[in-house]
Amino acid sequence: QLQLVESGGGLVQAGGSLRLSCAASGRSIRSNGMGWFRQAPGKEREFVAAISWSGASTNYAHSLKGRFTLSRDNAKNTVYLEMNNLKPEDTAVYYCAASSYYFGESERPYTNWGQGTQVTVSS
């Protein structure tokens, strides 16, 4: 049973940076597409970024491209989301998810989800 655990969230001032981690256990994720989504209070969950099984390809929400960078270390069974120049509107719970091979924006292909980590950006 694949389990995903996010970490690295917290409170940061606008303009600051955070690096989120998604550690997988139970089995290897080296063949999985991995994605990050976020949900702000009162809003629907939205796509943030995704990465192919090898790490060679990534997709980003258009509005986040340039500030967020997604990477993975298959040897450590971990995916990382580097977030820079954070803005108050980035405040949300951030979720990591795994799919078979898919690394796109749709939630449906992602079959395993973490519990989320809170990111709060103060102005």
Side-chain angles (χ1 to χ4, degrees):
Q1 181 81 12
L2 177 63
Q3 290 187 324
L4 304 174
V5 178
E6 303 92 339
S7 63
L11 175 63
V12 63
Q13 288 188 332
S17 299
L18 284 174
R19 188 174 82 154
L20 305 185
S21 298
C22 172
S25 62
R27 64 167 175 81
S28 171
I29 57 169
R30 63 177 61 250
S31 65
N32 291 93
M34 300 294 295
W36 283 90
F37 293 78
R38 68 184 184 183
Q39 187 167 22
K43 295 187 177 181
E44 293 188 354
R45 190 158 58 187
E46 64 176 359
F47 172 75
V48 173
I51 190 166
S52 64
W53 66 272
S54 67
S57 298
T58 51
N59 287 316
Y60 295 93
H62 181 73
S63 62
L64 302 177
K65 203 169 186 177
R67 294 196 296 123
F68 288 18
T69 302
L70 185 54
S71 62
R72 66 189 297 162
D73 186 338
N74 284 339
K76 294 183 178 180
N77 228 27
T78 302
V79 178
Y80 305 98
L81 181 66
E82 184 78 32
M83 306 186 296
N84 297 312
N85 190 23
L86 283 162
K87 304 175 181 181
E89 51 264 42
D90 294 319
T91 295
V93 177
Y94 283 71
Y95 298 92
C96 172
S99 72
S100 292
Y101 292 99
Y102 179 78
F103 59 103
E105 301 183 11
S106 176
E107 289 191 24
R108 182 171 291 188
Y110 295 94
T111 55
N112 297 86
W113 292 79
Q115 294 300 306
T117 185
Q118 176 71 46
V119 172
T120 303
V121 184
S122 63
S123 58

